[in-house]
Amino acid sequence: MEKKIDYNRFKKSDNAQKAIVAIHGWGGNKNSFYPFVKNIKIDNVEWFLPEAPYLVKNAPSINTDNIDDDSLLRKSWTYKKENGIWEVAEPIIMLKTFLNDIVFKQYNPSHVYFIGFSQGAAVCYECVMGIEKKLGGIFPIGGFLFKNSEKDKMVSTHNMKTPILIGHGTNDDVIPIEKSKIAYNKLLKEGANVKFYDYNGGHKISINYIKEVAKIINESK
Protein backbone atom coordinates (compact mmCIF):
# COMPACT_ATOMS: atom_id res chain seq x y z
CA MET A 1 0.00 0.00 0.00
CA GLU A 2 1.41 3.36 -1.03
CA LYS A 3 2.25 5.62 1.88
CA LYS A 4 0.26 8.84 1.89
CA ILE A 5 1.15 12.30 3.13
CA ASP A 6 -0.48 13.24 6.43
CA TYR A 7 -1.54 16.87 6.78
CA ASN A 8 -3.40 19.55 8.70
CA ARG A 9 -5.61 22.21 7.18
CA PHE A 10 -6.70 25.57 8.55
CA LYS A 11 -8.85 28.48 7.42
CA LYS A 12 -10.32 31.47 9.21
CA SER A 13 -13.45 31.78 7.08
CA ASP A 14 -15.59 29.69 4.75
CA ASN A 15 -14.90 32.10 1.89
CA ALA A 16 -11.43 30.82 1.00
CA GLN A 17 -10.63 31.64 -2.61
CA LYS A 18 -6.99 30.55 -2.53
CA ALA A 19 -4.82 27.94 -0.85
CA ILE A 20 -1.34 28.05 0.65
CA VAL A 21 0.70 24.88 1.07
CA ALA A 22 3.29 25.38 3.83
CA ILE A 23 6.14 22.85 3.72
CA HIS A 24 8.05 22.49 6.98
CA GLY A 25 11.78 21.94 7.40
CA TRP A 26 13.89 19.07 8.74
CA GLY A 27 12.73 17.97 12.17
CA GLY A 28 9.31 19.60 11.81
CA ASN A 29 5.87 18.10 11.32
CA LYS A 30 2.33 19.03 10.29
CA ASN A 31 1.97 21.16 13.42
CA SER A 32 5.13 23.25 12.93
CA PHE A 33 3.49 26.01 10.88
CA TYR A 34 0.23 26.00 12.83
CA PRO A 35 1.00 28.83 15.33
CA PHE A 36 2.41 30.85 12.44
CA VAL A 37 -0.58 30.54 10.11
CA LYS A 38 -3.11 31.46 12.79
CA ASN A 39 -1.53 34.91 13.11
CA ILE A 40 -0.57 35.76 9.56
CA LYS A 41 -2.83 38.20 7.70
CA ILE A 42 -3.51 36.84 4.25
CA ASP A 43 -7.06 37.25 2.99
CA ASN A 44 -9.45 34.40 2.22
CA VAL A 45 -7.03 31.49 2.10
CA GLU A 46 -7.03 27.93 3.30
CA TRP A 47 -3.75 26.55 4.60
CA PHE A 48 -2.60 23.01 3.91
CA LEU A 49 0.20 21.78 6.19
CA PRO A 50 1.65 18.53 4.84
CA GLU A 51 3.92 16.40 7.00
CA ALA A 52 7.15 14.88 5.70
CA PRO A 53 6.94 11.07 5.48
CA TYR A 54 10.15 10.00 7.22
CA LEU A 55 10.79 9.93 10.95
CA VAL A 56 14.10 11.50 11.99
CA LYS A 57 16.08 8.65 13.52
CA ASN A 58 17.20 10.54 16.61
CA ALA A 59 13.71 11.82 17.35
CA PRO A 60 12.53 11.33 20.94
CA SER A 61 10.35 8.28 21.54
CA ILE A 62 6.64 9.07 21.74
CA ASN A 63 3.39 7.49 22.81
CA THR A 64 1.28 7.78 19.68
CA ASP A 65 -1.89 7.24 21.70
CA ASN A 66 -1.31 10.61 23.39
CA ILE A 67 -2.24 13.44 21.03
CA ASP A 68 -0.22 15.91 23.12
CA ASP A 69 2.93 14.10 22.02
CA ASP A 70 2.32 14.80 18.33
CA SER A 71 4.56 17.85 18.68
CA LEU A 72 7.48 15.49 19.39
CA LEU A 73 7.27 13.82 15.99
CA ARG A 74 10.29 15.00 14.05
CA LYS A 75 10.09 14.37 10.33
CA SER A 76 12.23 14.72 7.22
CA TRP A 77 11.45 14.99 3.52
CA THR A 78 14.39 12.73 2.69
CA TYR A 79 16.62 10.05 4.19
CA LYS A 80 20.04 8.60 3.49
CA LYS A 81 19.94 5.19 1.81
CA GLU A 82 22.44 2.39 2.42
CA ASN A 83 24.52 3.53 -0.56
CA GLY A 84 24.89 6.98 1.04
CA ILE A 85 22.58 8.67 -1.48
CA TRP A 86 19.75 10.83 -0.19
CA GLU A 87 16.31 9.71 -1.38
CA VAL A 88 14.58 12.45 -3.35
CA ALA A 89 12.27 10.85 -5.91
CA GLU A 90 10.09 8.88 -3.49
CA PRO A 91 8.85 11.80 -1.34
CA ILE A 92 8.24 13.91 -4.46
CA ILE A 93 5.89 11.24 -5.81
CA MET A 94 4.02 11.22 -2.49
CA LEU A 95 3.81 15.02 -2.36
CA LYS A 96 2.54 15.29 -5.94
CA THR A 97 -0.11 12.65 -5.18
CA PHE A 98 -1.21 14.69 -2.15
CA LEU A 99 -1.42 17.87 -4.24
CA ASN A 100 -3.34 16.24 -7.09
CA ASP A 101 -5.72 14.25 -4.88
CA ILE A 102 -6.40 16.89 -2.22
CA VAL A 103 -5.31 20.46 -2.99
CA PHE A 104 -5.73 20.75 -6.75
CA LYS A 105 -9.13 19.03 -6.62
CA GLN A 106 -10.42 21.86 -4.44
CA TYR A 107 -8.46 24.84 -5.77
CA ASN A 108 -7.36 25.90 -9.23
CA PRO A 109 -3.55 25.47 -9.27
CA SER A 110 -3.18 29.14 -10.27
CA HIS A 111 -4.75 30.01 -6.90
CA VAL A 112 -2.38 27.76 -4.94
CA TYR A 113 0.77 29.20 -3.34
CA PHE A 114 3.71 27.43 -1.73
CA ILE A 115 5.83 28.45 1.25
CA GLY A 116 8.78 26.22 2.12
CA PHE A 117 11.18 26.73 5.01
CA SER A 118 14.70 25.24 5.13
CA GLN A 119 14.38 21.65 3.86
CA GLY A 120 10.87 22.64 2.80
CA ALA A 121 12.44 25.29 0.55
CA ALA A 122 14.59 22.55 -1.00
CA VAL A 123 11.35 20.67 -1.74
CA CYS A 124 10.09 23.81 -3.51
CA TYR A 125 13.21 23.86 -5.68
CA GLU A 126 13.22 20.13 -6.37
CA CYS A 127 9.51 19.47 -6.79
CA VAL A 128 7.10 22.41 -6.72
CA MET A 129 8.70 24.61 -9.38
CA GLY A 130 8.69 21.72 -11.83
CA ILE A 131 4.97 20.99 -11.51
CA GLU A 132 3.29 20.94 -14.92
CA LYS A 133 0.54 23.31 -13.81
CA LYS A 134 0.58 27.10 -13.48
CA LEU A 135 0.85 27.95 -9.77
CA GLY A 136 0.05 31.20 -7.97
CA GLY A 137 3.45 31.76 -6.35
CA ILE A 138 6.41 29.96 -4.76
CA PHE A 139 8.23 31.27 -1.68
CA PRO A 140 11.33 29.33 -0.54
CA ILE A 141 12.87 30.55 2.74
CA GLY A 142 16.32 29.73 4.13
CA GLY A 143 16.75 26.86 1.72
CA PHE A 144 19.22 24.99 -0.47
CA LEU A 145 19.38 22.64 -3.44
CA PHE A 146 19.39 18.89 -2.81
CA LYS A 147 22.84 17.44 -3.51
CA ASN A 148 21.52 14.43 -5.41
CA SER A 149 19.21 16.36 -7.69
CA GLU A 150 19.33 15.20 -11.29
CA LYS A 151 17.11 17.99 -12.63
CA ASP A 152 18.43 19.88 -15.63
CA LYS A 153 15.80 22.59 -15.19
CA MET A 154 14.13 23.68 -11.97
CA VAL A 155 11.10 25.50 -13.42
CA SER A 156 8.48 24.02 -15.73
CA THR A 157 7.31 26.01 -18.74
CA HIS A 158 3.99 26.47 -16.90
CA ASN A 159 5.70 28.41 -14.10
CA MET A 160 8.14 30.63 -15.96
CA LYS A 161 5.99 33.67 -15.08
CA THR A 162 4.94 32.47 -11.64
CA PRO A 163 6.24 34.85 -8.93
CA ILE A 164 9.11 33.29 -6.99
CA LEU A 165 10.39 35.22 -3.98
CA ILE A 166 13.40 33.69 -2.22
CA GLY A 167 13.98 34.78 1.37
CA HIS A 168 17.07 34.23 3.51
CA GLY A 169 18.51 35.70 6.71
CA THR A 170 21.88 37.41 6.32
CA ASN A 171 23.10 35.90 9.59
CA ASP A 172 21.84 32.36 9.04
CA ASP A 173 24.37 30.04 10.71
CA VAL A 174 22.41 26.86 9.90
CA ILE A 175 22.12 27.25 6.12
CA PRO A 176 24.39 29.98 4.70
CA ILE A 177 22.67 32.61 2.57
CA GLU A 178 24.98 31.59 -0.30
CA LYS A 179 22.90 28.41 -0.67
CA SER A 180 19.84 30.48 -1.60
CA LYS A 181 21.93 32.66 -3.91
CA ILE A 182 23.01 29.55 -5.83
CA ALA A 183 19.36 28.66 -6.39
CA TYR A 184 18.53 32.27 -7.27
CA ASN A 185 21.26 32.50 -9.91
CA LYS A 186 20.23 29.17 -11.43
CA LEU A 187 16.64 30.36 -11.67
CA LEU A 188 17.76 33.64 -13.26
CA LYS A 189 19.62 31.69 -15.94
CA GLU A 190 16.45 29.73 -16.66
CA GLY A 191 14.53 32.98 -17.15
CA ALA A 192 12.24 32.47 -14.16
CA ASN A 193 10.27 35.32 -12.58
CA VAL A 194 12.41 35.29 -9.43
CA LYS A 195 13.43 37.91 -6.86
CA PHE A 196 15.75 37.65 -3.87
CA TYR A 197 14.86 39.12 -0.48
CA ASP A 198 17.51 39.09 2.22
CA TYR A 199 16.75 40.22 5.76
CA ASN A 200 18.49 40.69 9.08
CA GLY A 201 18.41 37.61 11.25
CA GLY A 202 19.32 33.97 11.33
CA HIS A 203 17.58 30.74 10.34
CA LYS A 204 14.05 32.03 10.71
CA ILE A 205 11.15 33.54 8.79
CA SER A 206 11.16 37.33 8.65
CA ILE A 207 7.92 39.22 9.28
CA ASN A 208 8.91 41.77 6.63
CA TYR A 209 9.48 38.98 4.12
CA ILE A 210 6.07 37.49 4.91
CA LYS A 211 4.49 40.91 4.36
CA GLU A 212 5.93 40.84 0.83
CA VAL A 213 4.54 37.34 0.33
CA ALA A 214 1.13 38.43 1.63
CA LYS A 215 1.15 41.38 -0.75
CA ILE A 216 1.75 39.10 -3.75
CA ILE A 217 -1.02 36.71 -2.67
CA ASN A 218 -3.57 39.38 -1.73
CA GLU A 219 -3.04 41.34 -4.96
CA SER A 220 -3.25 38.35 -7.26
CA LYS A 221 -6.49 37.60 -9.07
Side-chain angles (χ1 to χ4, degrees), residues 24-55:
H24 68 76
W26 184 92
N29 58 40
K30 64 183 180 180
N31 298 316
S32 298
F33 266 110
Y34 197 65
F36 176 81
V37 303
K38 288 194 296 185
N39 296 314
I40 191 170
K41 294 181 179 179
I42 299 180
D43 300 333
N44 299 326
V45 301
E46 179 171 11
W47 291 81
F48 290 86
L49 313 175
E51 182 169 275
Y54 310 115
L55 185 65

Side-chain angles (χ1 to χ4, degrees), residues 184-192:
Y184 171 66
N185 287 325
K186 188 170 182 180
L187 289 166
L188 279 180
K189 288 180 181 178
E190 291 186 18

Side-chain angles (χ1 to χ4, degrees), residues 143-217:
F144 55 93
L145 300 178
F146 281 127
K147 288 182 179 179
N148 302 125
S149 174
E150 297 180 354
K151 293 171 67 70
D152 294 327
K153 289 195 68 177
M154 295 166 64
V155 185
S156 71
T157 55
H158 294 75
N159 287 305
M160 292 303 292
K161 295 183 179 180
T162 298
I164 300 171
L165 182 63
I166 298 174
H168 210 121
T170 55
N171 300 315
D172 192 333
D173 58 357
V174 177
I175 298 174
I177 193 171
E178 285 73 24
K179 296 291 186 181
S180 280
K181 290 181 178 179
I182 290 171
Y184 171 66
N185 287 325
K186 188 170 182 180
L187 289 166
L188 279 180
K189 288 180 181 178
E190 291 186 18
N193 179 18
V194 60
K195 295 181 180 178
F196 194 91
Y197 187 99
D198 58 9
Y199 49 84
N200 293 328
H203 196 58
K204 65 179 184 179
I205 302 175
S206 159
I207 295 300
N208 288 333
Y209 169 82
I210 289 300
K211 287 180 179 179
E212 294 298 316
V213 169
K215 185 178 179 182
I216 292 172
I217 296 175

Side-chain angles (χ1 to χ4, degrees), residues 124-142:
C124 286
Y125 294 133
E126 184 67 25
C127 171
V128 175
M129 293 179 184
I131 289 175
E132 298 294 333
K133 302 177 189 292
K134 186 183 185 307
L135 305 173
I138 307 169
F139 312 111
I141 311 164

